[in-house]
């Protein structure tokens, strides 16, 4: 697939359009034709060959491109998003998705096609031939000109078997993560509702004396060398503060915000933009600051901070936050409403026990995610090596 490298013996260079066909099957009335599901670009996940979500044709759709099981769906709009999937059901899809299939299974194995469409070379070609500024799209004529190396059919079968093994492993890891998340959600809901029946308290009552719920610096200014770190909402996207690229504000600006200085273990809760993100402040950021888009909660001694965080993830608390979130372009919840959010309350020993149980499941989820990321890296390396004709099958 790299024109600058010599092909292995018994490989030949082909054009994508010589071995792959763009399906032009259409349905003007999918519902009448017995088609139940539709797929848009939003239903395809980058790097995932499985279609895990879809829409119902009965709810109304204008899509007419028909796809069938085994065909490959490729997102031609914003190709840099790397959206490729293999259909395992029939449906109709967006006009921004190409439906692809091999012309001759004895020339190009159908099972190998999705992996070819996942290679860096193919995406580089698709992105490089895309036109348009806001929503660039590639076209079939350009894709058809993509050249790559193709071995004999027996070697293709061996290659497909290797790559399908990785795909199957990733699918199993995905299912394991979904099951673990479902277990945690179910446990959290059941326990939270049972505790709530006995007692609940407002969020402002669980924080430490002298450290009320507050937000931080309104205008942290430009980066100041050697200044005070400022945590923005973007700095804790996945529940953990990312410390590598924090804004440093000047001591002159920070001195007016002593009230919002952070202590290790403080719970951060985003209140503007993406509402409801949470993270604990690490030991390394003692004395750091937050912006006006984040609230700081220093949890009092009668509550386990982990328990409070989990309770804020419970459906009832999430509903309360959503009900008080306002705004169109930029949404947010004010501190007064946040302070009134209620969470279930129980003895500290019970809090610790539940938090430990949920932590164990959460650690399992993190382990699965780490394994998934490792497998993804192995898969990408194997795919490039095998399909570029550089590795052994």
């Amino acid at each position: 697939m790299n024109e600058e490298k010599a092909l292995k013996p018994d490989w030949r260079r082909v054009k994508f359009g010589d071995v792959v066909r763009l399906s032009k099957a259409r349905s003007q009335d999918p519902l009448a034709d017995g088609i139940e599901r539709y797929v848009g670009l939003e239903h395809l996940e980058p790097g995932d060959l499985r279609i895990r979500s879809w829409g119902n044709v009965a709810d109304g759709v204008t899509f007419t491109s028909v796809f069938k099981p085994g065909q490959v769906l490729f997102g031609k709009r914003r190709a840099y998003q790397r959206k490729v999937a293999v259909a395992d059901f029939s449906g109709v899809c967006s006009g921004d998705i190409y439906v692809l299939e091999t012309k001759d299974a004895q020339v190009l194995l159908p099972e190998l096609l999705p992996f070819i469409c996942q290679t860096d070379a193919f995406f580089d070609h698709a992105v490089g031939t895309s036109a348009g500024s806001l929503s660039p799209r590639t076209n079939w004529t350009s894709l058809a000109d993509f050249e790559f190396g193709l071995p004999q059919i027996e070697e293709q079968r061996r290659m497909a078997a290797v790559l399908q093994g990785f795909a199957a492993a990733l699918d199993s890891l995905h299912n394991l993560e979904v099951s673990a998340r479902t277990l945690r959600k179910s446990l959290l809901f059941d326990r939270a509702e049972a505790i709530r029946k006995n007692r609940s308290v407002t969020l402002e009552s669980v924080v430490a004396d002298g450290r009320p719920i507050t937000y931080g610096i309104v205008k942290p200014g430009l980066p100041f060398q050697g200044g005070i770190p400022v945590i923005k909402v973007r700095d804790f996207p996945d529940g953990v503060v990312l410390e590598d690229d924090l804004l440093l504000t000047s001591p002159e600006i920070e001195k007016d915000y002593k009230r919002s200085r952070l202590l290790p273990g403080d719970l951060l809760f985003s209140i503007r933009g993406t509402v409801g993100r949470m993270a604990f402040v690490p030991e390394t950021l003692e004395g750091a600051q937050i912006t006006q888009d984040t609230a700081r909660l220093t949890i009092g001694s009668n509550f386990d901070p982990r328990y409070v965080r989990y309770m804020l993830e419970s459906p009832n608390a999430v509903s309360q936050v959503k009900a008080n979130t306002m705004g169109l372009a930029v949404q947010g919840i004010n501190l007064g409403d946040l302070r009134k959010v209620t969470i279930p309350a129980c003895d500290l020993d019970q809090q610790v026990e539940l938090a430990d149980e949920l932590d164990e499941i959460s650690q399992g989820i993190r382990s699965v995610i780490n394994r998934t990321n490792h497998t993804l890296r192995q898969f990408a390396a194997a795919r490039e090596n095998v399909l570029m004709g550089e590795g052994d099958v």
Side-chain angles (χ1 to χ4, degrees), residues 8 12 19 33 65 71 79 90 96 99 108 123 158 190 203 205 214 216 243 271 313 339 361 383:
K8 279 184 172 184
R12 63 191 178 95
V19 293
D33 291 337
S65 296
Q71 291 181 317
S90 296
D96 285 324
V99 180
L108 172 59
F123 279 117
R158 292 192 291 271
D190 291 343
L203 207 52
S205 69
T214 187
E243 302 181 51
I271 58 174
E313 292 178 352
R339 293 181 182 119
I361 300 174
R383 184 175 59 233

Side-chain angles (χ1 to χ4, degrees), residues 209-227:
D209 292 340
R211 287 181 68 80
I213 299 173
T214 187
Y215 59 77
I217 300 175
V218 176
K219 295 181 179 180
L222 298 174
F224 185 89
Q225 187 173 1

Side-chain angles (χ1 to χ4, degrees), residues 275-293:
V275 177
R277 283 185 184 176
M278 288 183 280
F280 287 117
V281 176
E283 295 277 349
T284 50
L285 289 177
E286 180 174 3
Q289 278 285 354
I290 49 177
T291 67
Q292 63 175 337
D293 299 334

Side-chain angles (χ1 to χ4, degrees), residues 238-302:
D238 298 308
V240 177
V241 177
L242 305 177
E243 302 181 51
D244 292 340
D245 194 30
L246 298 178
L247 172 71
L248 303 180
T249 191
S250 70
E252 184 66 22
I253 292 176
E254 195 275 341
K255 68 181 177 64
D256 293 329
Y257 292 89
K258 295 179 181 179
R259 70 172 194 275
S260 55
R261 286 175 182 166
L262 302 176
L263 293 175
D266 280 348
L267 178 59
L268 306 181
F269 188 97
S270 61
I271 58 174
R272 192 165 180 269
T274 304
V275 177
R277 283 185 184 176
M278 288 183 280
F280 287 117
V281 176
E283 295 277 349
T284 50
L285 289 177
E286 180 174 3
Q289 278 285 354
I290 49 177
T291 67
Q292 63 175 337
D293 299 334
T294 299
R296 182 209 66 203
L297 290 77
T298 301
I299 308 304
S301 58
N302 291 331

Side-chain angles (χ1 to χ4, degrees), residues 170 172-174 176-178 180-181 184 238 361-377:
L170 287 170
S172 295
L173 288 168
H174 172 85
L176 183 58
E177 182 184 345
V178 169
R181 289 186 181 278
R184 184 177 66 177
D238 298 308
I361 300 174
S362 297
Q363 180 57 47
I365 293 172
R366 285 192 291 272
S367 295
V368 173
I369 292 173
N370 290 338
R371 181 61 185 272
T372 298
N373 291 335
H374 177 68
T375 304
L376 278 169
R377 289 191 293 270

Side-chain angles (χ1 to χ4, degrees), residues 279-331:
F280 287 117
V281 176
E283 295 277 349
T284 50
L285 289 177
E286 180 174 3
Q289 278 285 354
I290 49 177
T291 67
Q292 63 175 337
D293 299 334
T294 299
R296 182 209 66 203
L297 290 77
T298 301
I299 308 304
S301 58
N302 291 331
F303 285 86
D304 184 318
R306 299 172 303 154
Y307 171 84
V308 174
R309 178 175 178 169
Y310 281 126
M311 290 303 105
L312 284 172
E313 292 178 352
S314 68
N316 186 284
V318 170
S319 294
Q320 293 179 64
V321 171
K322 284 184 177 179
N324 289 287
T325 297
M326 307 295 211
L328 296 175
V330 179
Q331 294 195 321

Side-chain angles (χ1 to χ4, degrees), residues 32-203:
D33 291 337
I35 298 174
E36 299 178 352
R37 292 182 272 189
Y38 71 84
V39 172
L41 277 176
E42 69 275 14
H43 297 121
L44 303 182
E45 291 296 326
D48 191 349
L49 289 175
R50 288 288 298 276
I51 303 174
R52 302 186 189 276
S53 64
W54 51 81
N56 296 313
V57 170
D59 295 334
V61 68
T62 58
F63 301 160
T64 60
S65 296
V66 175
F67 62 86
K68 297 178 180 179
Q71 291 181 317
V72 174
L73 306 188
F74 173 77
K76 68 174 183 177
R77 179 164 66 94
R78 299 193 177 106
Y80 56 81
Q81 294 181 333
R82 293 176 171 250
K83 294 189 174 185
V84 179
V86 181
D88 56 1
F89 58 87
S90 296
V92 288
C93 63
S94 164
D96 285 324
I97 297 174
Y98 279 144
V99 180
L100 307 174
E101 60 187 1
T102 59
K103 287 184 176 181
D104 186 340
Q106 295 304 310
V107 176
L108 172 59
L109 198 67
E111 292 83 357
L112 202 60
L113 177 57
F115 303 117
I116 293 171
C117 293
Q118 280 189 319
T119 59
D120 290 342
F122 185 78
F123 279 117
D124 289 345
H125 182 87
V127 172
T129 57
S130 294
S133 54
L134 295 178
S135 189
R137 292 172 172 83
T138 188
N139 58 69
W140 172 244
T141 301
S142 297
L143 282 184
D145 279 338
F146 172 67
E147 292 188 359
F148 64 100
L150 190 65
Q152 298 298 313
I153 198 70
E154 285 303 318
E155 187 168 0
Q156 290 183 42
R157 289 193 179 97
R158 292 192 291 271
M159 293 162 63
V162 170
L163 299 176
Q164 285 176 328
F166 279 105
L170 287 170
D171 197 42
S172 295
L173 288 168
H174 172 85
N175 293 336
L176 183 58
E177 182 184 345
V178 169
S179 296
R181 289 186 181 278
T182 300
L183 174 61
R184 184 177 66 177
K185 184 176 181 180
S186 176
L187 176 63
L188 179 57
F189 175 80
D190 291 343
R191 297 290 181 85
E193 290 307 299
I195 297 170
R196 185 179 291 278
K197 288 179 181 178
N198 295 322
R199 181 184 168 216
S200 60
V201 294
T202 60
L203 207 52

